[in-house]
Amino acid sequence: MFFASDNTSGAAPEVMAALLRANDGYARGYGADAIMDRVRAQVREIFEAPEAAVFLVASGTAANALALSIACPPWGAVFCHTQAHIAEDECGAPEFYTNGAKLVLVPGAHGRMTPESLAQTIARTGTGGVHGVQRGMVSITNVTEAGTAYTPAEVAALTAVARSHGLPAHLDGARFANALVATGVSPAAMTWQAGVDILSFGGTKNGLIGAEAVVIFDPAKAWEFELRRKRGGHLLSKHRYLSAQIEAYLTDGLWLRLAGQANAMGAALARGLTALPGVSLQHPAPANMLFPVWPMGTHARAEAMGAVYYQMPAPDGAEAARLVASWSTTDADVANLLAALSPR
Amino acid sequence: MFFASDNTSGAAPEVMAALLRANDGYARGYGADAIMDRVRAQVREIFEAPEAAVFLVASGTAANALALSIACPPWGAVFCHTQAHIAEDECGAPEFYTNGAKLVLVPGAHGRMTPESLAQTIARTGTGGVHGVQRGMVSITNVTEAGTAYTPAEVAALTAVARSHGLPAHLDGARFANALVATGVSPAAMTWQAGVDILSFGGTKNGLIGAEAVVIFDPAKAWEFELRRKRGGHLLSKHRYLSAQIEAYLTDGLWLRLAGQANAMGAALARGLTALPGVSLQHPAPANMLFPVWPMGTHARAEAMGAVYYQMPAPDGAEAARLVASWSTTDADVANLLAALSPR
Amino acid sequence: MFFASDNTSGAAPEVMAALLRANDGYARGYGADAIMDRVRAQVREIFEAPEAAVFLVASGTAANALALSIACPPWGAVFCHTQAHIAEDECGAPEFYTNGAKLVLVPGAHGRMTPESLAQTIARTGTGGVHGVQRGMVSITNVTEAGTAYTPAEVAALTAVARSHGLPAHLDGARFANALVATGVSPAAMTWQAGVDILSFGGTKNGLIGAEAVVIFDPAKAWEFELRRKRGGHLLSKHRYLSAQIEAYLTDGLWLRLAGQANAMGAALARGLTALPGVSLQHPAPANMLFPVWPMGTHARAEAMGAVYYQMPAPDGAEAARLVASWSTTDADVANLLAALSPR
Amino acid sequence: MFFASDNTSGAAPEVMAALLRANDGYARGYGADAIMDRVRAQVREIFEAPEAAVFLVASGTAANALALSIACPPWGAVFCHTQAHIAEDECGAPEFYTNGAKLVLVPGAHGRMTPESLAQTIARTGTGGVHGVQRGMVSITNVTEAGTAYTPAEVAALTAVARSHGLPAHLDGARFANALVATGVSPAAMTWQAGVDILSFGGTKNGLIGAEAVVIFDPAKAWEFELRRKRGGHLLSKHRYLSAQIEAYLTDGLWLRLAGQANAMGAALARGLTALPGVSLQHPAPANMLFPVWPMGTHARAEAMGAVYYQMPAPDGAEAARLVASWSTTDADVANLLAALSPR
């Protein structure tokens, strides 16, 4: 009953098999491996973006911080949601990689910025001439930190606000596959067709051992990205093992199948939870992450039964949790968790 | 006939097996996995350093840059050899992670600083009061970029110079196992007993897919290291796969066996090369890296036979190369390369 | 009728005279001038702090950013008011000098943090272990950006919250003299006796041409400050001209006389404004900065009469302004402004 | 007998008079003062560069570091002479402002790079693809740290090498006026006509209290410069006092008269020194800075007579010094120093 995070899961068998295949013989290092050539072609095809630049790194924080660093100057503001991973969970990696850009927080219910809240925050920022930080870029997370998803139209509405100020848009897609499955749209529809300039395309949380792609739809800054990646220590010498993970991930739709399982388990959990007395969800849960509120005493009971998840701040007289399903969550896991949470 | 770099080799079978074992089930992320607990104990035992702090990252550049960043302030000088990897091959990662420290280059034959050249360089630096950069630290590479090795006594002589100025010492051990095998000494003898404060303990070049340990003998800066690692994007969420590599590496002496094979193949190559007419080695080659000079025309012949290696700047009328053997180099590989290089 | 900012005023005659005296003959550079020796002694005596380290720079942004950089690590949070100058008006200088620390904003009416709002913001920050930025320091502005002042007791209440978390406290005293005059307390009472560790002691806005002192009550970080000042380009070679300004400023209480005049003019303005029909002040105005709200049409009338000040966002159906008096504001200036603002 | 540095001199009377005039009344801050409008026009006229962007700062280190930061990316190499002020005397300010660029040192006799030494250093750098730092820019100092001067043709030869690699060129003109007087050429001839893109145009060492102009001949990066200046804490609020210094400096050729006096005194000193037994100059001395070698015992005698200058490392059996004349050095000063140095 592991629902703490999708990154406590292992890797999918197809991925491990690909690693073993990749291990055979010699390969050129630093991204010049033959598998990476194929990965580049896969990503471009899947995203319908024949010019896109594609780079791999081993962590989501690296993907995000490097992506921001090529889009925002040191004196720029990165507009993002109050709860964004880049704001809350990366120990200042964005500030480090951008040499001191400022994250300016945009409020919004359920982890989502709205065009209005974004526009208002942008309007208040960058009005001080040379004295204040300048408007720099927008970063959108999908699936959000609240487990909700933006539709392409919602993403496009946010990037339209960005574009009206001449700002580029980044999408933090640590759970990009889950977002696509939740909304039923194509990779292109969710990204460049919706105005996204750079994507952190996550894999680690969805069945890899540690690999994320950065997809830069306008390749003008590709070389700068390469230099920043190297300089950040994120260009792996035995790069083939990153390539192999992503190749397996993108082959025969594995990535969407894995996310589909995670989301299905999320949905099953949502149905089960809301059927329990006194349990409700704080946010819509279209993907694999749920934020239930439940009666006092539930934590103790669940913990005694071996359930593993994060406890969250809760309203008075209640308890709250974050539950995350993954590609490896099973029907039995869900049933067991629901049993553990049920009053006796 | 792949002699371009030890990082073009794959991973050892024991390592892949460990990855597969590690993949089973759920594990806590971010270094809280049970394998990492065992790794920490292994490293401490092998280094006879029960207090040492041990952290894992996926690249050697990350290990080095993070190690420097906790030892040298932004206004400090890092004294290192002219050809050091940190100076030549990391695209400024040390400057980035230290927020602008200055690498001050120390000359020396065969890739080695001498106590005299180090002392002279230190003496010339940091004499300008507040106007110049301050003396910061010393970084030593073993095996060096020229393929030579320092003995513990030679390392101790350098760290003694450092210590006489109150400076800490870092050892870049991207090929640490090869250095130990070449000199026949213990990990403790080569590091803390020789005055080394922080070690970049390489694994990637010696049979892993991508894992390096940073060993901090005085753990006072361990928490700072953790924060800098996270902030650099180098704390991997599915950390167990780093742990598993290092655990396998350190189990039953695998790391030394792998380096022993690489060094043995280096020695065989050295014997064979120096037996060829007109071929000599530019540097002593006690480990797995050789820098031969040979007659004009040899490159063309070798390339035609499929030999892969780096060509190097050469004296007039000759050609030069860098040849690197690895854990996976075989007697046959050596024989084939020597045949390809031999005049017909 | 110049009420745009106290930095549009010139320098006091005593200051210009001191510059002329300082210009005579040769002087050692870079802070080794004899005048600086006297300044150091003056500051220590005035602050009753015989151990304090004292450094001069030419701008308030430099004073603040350098002060923060010795108190907060790159991965730290600087807690400050939402409207703090360091947050709004320094184009990211704090982030630049700290190598990416994060300013975490503390709400509060009238430009003032309260112990409660500070404690709550601190409590919410730094709870994510290695994943989030760490609690770093507190920065308090006095006189605040809203023109209000903290009493020593109020400062002490804030630094007590800081200290309960082990955090140092900085005071941005760009208008420190005005704050002392407004509250009638001693320099020591407002700073180290109230728990302040580092002070940006402003002079530029109060009758100098451009000089600010940084007073570090615990001198352990004095050498680091000197290096950071040099590295930031803020160690002036002909330092005597900074020294001379501050010496004149602190001689015979000039600094308090100048602030006394500014505050007196602020008070006169406040009395006059609130006597006008439909005019009120948005914040208490104990010092030299006022934020009136007045009827529509007043701006146009005042501008036509030659009044110079900043227009501010206002409630519907009204206009708002920022008015700043300075050491050089006269009774006639106040009378003229009030006449210009009065309905005819 | 103050020959330690030209920055131990005071300011010229015309400059102090200008400061007093500027002090009258109110002025807009932050560079929007009316004097700055005139300064901008003066600089453009004097440099025959009607499009040039002109900014003022209070220190030479700030001028240099900011200039480099808009011309060189963080992963770039700044090619400069081994003894360049930016390399030796700014405590890493270039690394700080560029976020970690690397200064790559170019050897050359008498403080001068040659086209050959520059070309060779550039050729050796930036050949490692993504692994090494990239070629970034060239920085030339005139007058050099050895007191020698480049002619415009020599500057053009260096910038031609830079341009052949697509690199911009910066001129550190802390003693720019002295260089012009020494070579008898126009400001335009020494800068943009010789291929210089950005100039640090010094004033502090030549009779100001602390003001330097940065002249950017291609204004495309002007706004970036303004933001970096603000962010560095170098945008002075009471900017008029910087403007006034530069206005006086450039009015009626004051700057060239002051440098003419300094150079004339340098020449007198050179004549006198080389007439003394056993005294020679280590470098040609066309401007105001001399590096004599003289017999043992001379230092003691000179010091006893009250001469103030820097002692320098010397060949065995001799003593060496750096002597700097300034705008305020008189014939009597020179005569007195020569007398103090003469054997009795």
Side-chain angles (χ1 to χ4, degrees), chain C residues 11-24:
Chain C
E14 294 89 337
V15 172
M16 298 310 286
L19 279 180
L20 289 173
R21 282 196 306 277
N23 192 47
D24 192 37

Side-chain angles (χ1 to χ4, degrees), chain C residues 74-98:
Chain C
W75 47 84
V78 179
F79 299 99
C80 63
H81 190 272
T82 309
Q83 297 164 5
H85 198 269
I86 59 171
E88 288 287 302
D89 297 302
E90 300 187 352
C91 197
E95 287 88 345
F96 177 48
Y97 276 87
T98 59

Side-chain angles (χ1 to χ4, degrees), chain C residues 2 7-11 16 23 26-27 30 59 89 91-93 97 204 208 230-234 238 240-241 328, chain D residues 2 7-11 16 23 26-27 30 59 89 91-93 97 204 208-209 230-234 238 240-241 328:
Chain C
F2 286 81
N7 62 37
T8 62
S9 293
M16 298 310 286
N23 192 47
Y26 291 83
Y30 302 110
S59 86
D89 297 302
C91 197
Y97 276 87
T204 309
L208 305 187
K230 171 67 189 179
R231 184 173 176 77
H234 289 292
K238 292 183 169 177
R240 60 169 125 169
Y241 301 102
S328 64
Chain D
F2 286 82
N7 62 36
T8 61
S9 294
M16 299 309 287
N23 193 46
Y26 291 83
Y30 302 111
S59 86
D89 297 302
C91 197
Y97 276 87
T204 308
L208 304 187
I209 73 169
K230 171 67 189 179
R231 183 173 177 79
H234 289 291
K238 292 183 169 177
R240 60 168 124 169
Y241 301 103
S328 65

Side-chain angles (χ1 to χ4, degrees), chain C residues 23 50 93 152 155 158 165 177 273 276:
Chain C
N23 192 47
V155 170
L158 294 172
H165 292 282
L273 283 168
L276 293 177

Side-chain angles (χ1 to χ4, degrees), chain B residues 47-255:
Chain B
F47 281 85
E48 308 167 43
E51 305 295 328
V54 184
F55 300 106
L56 306 187
V57 293
S59 87
T61 294
N64 283 340
L66 286 166
L68 299 183
S69 75
I70 63 165
C72 189
W75 46 84
V78 179
F79 299 100
C80 63
H81 190 271
T82 310
Q83 298 164 7
H85 198 269
I86 59 172
E88 288 287 301
D89 298 302
E90 301 187 351
C91 197
E95 288 89 344
F96 176 48
Y97 276 87
T98 59
N99 193 20
K102 189 189 283 282
L103 275 61
V104 176
L105 306 180
V106 180
H110 302 311
R112 281 188 292 228
M113 300 187 281
T114 63
E116 294 72 30
S117 67
L118 176 59
Q120 285 164 12
T121 306
I122 294 178
R124 271 199 309 273
T125 306
T127 59
V130 80
H131 299 286
V133 295
Q134 308 297 302
R135 296 161 181 163
M137 68 180 295
V138 172
S139 179
I140 305 165
T141 311
N142 204 12
V143 174
T144 74
E145 295 296 317
T148 55
Y150 293 102
T151 64
E154 289 168 334
V155 171
L158 295 172
T159 64
V161 173
R163 207 159 306 272
S164 73
H165 292 283
L167 306 183
H170 165 252
L171 189 72
D172 177 358
R175 294 186 177 92
F176 184 66
N178 305 88
L180 290 193
V181 169
T183 53
V185 303
S186 73
M190 189 62 94
T191 56
W192 63 268
Q193 291 176 357
V196 170
D197 299 287
I198 311 176
L199 169 68
S200 297
F201 180 14
T204 309
K205 291 181 194 293
N206 191 32
L208 305 186
I209 74 170
E212 314 269 315
V214 176
V215 186
I216 311 175
F217 293 104
D218 172 355
K221 293 218 166 173
W223 177 233
E224 177 179 335
F225 187 93
E226 289 200 64
L227 291 161
R228 289 186 180 274
R229 179 177 59 165
K230 171 67 189 179
R231 183 173 176 78
H234 289 292
L235 174 58
L236 297 195
S237 59
K238 292 183 169 177
H239 186 281
R240 59 168 124 170
Y241 301 101
L242 290 179
S243 306
Q245 292 180 65
I246 298 289
E247 185 180 37
Y249 191 56
L250 298 181
T251 297
D252 296 334
L254 176 64
W255 63 303

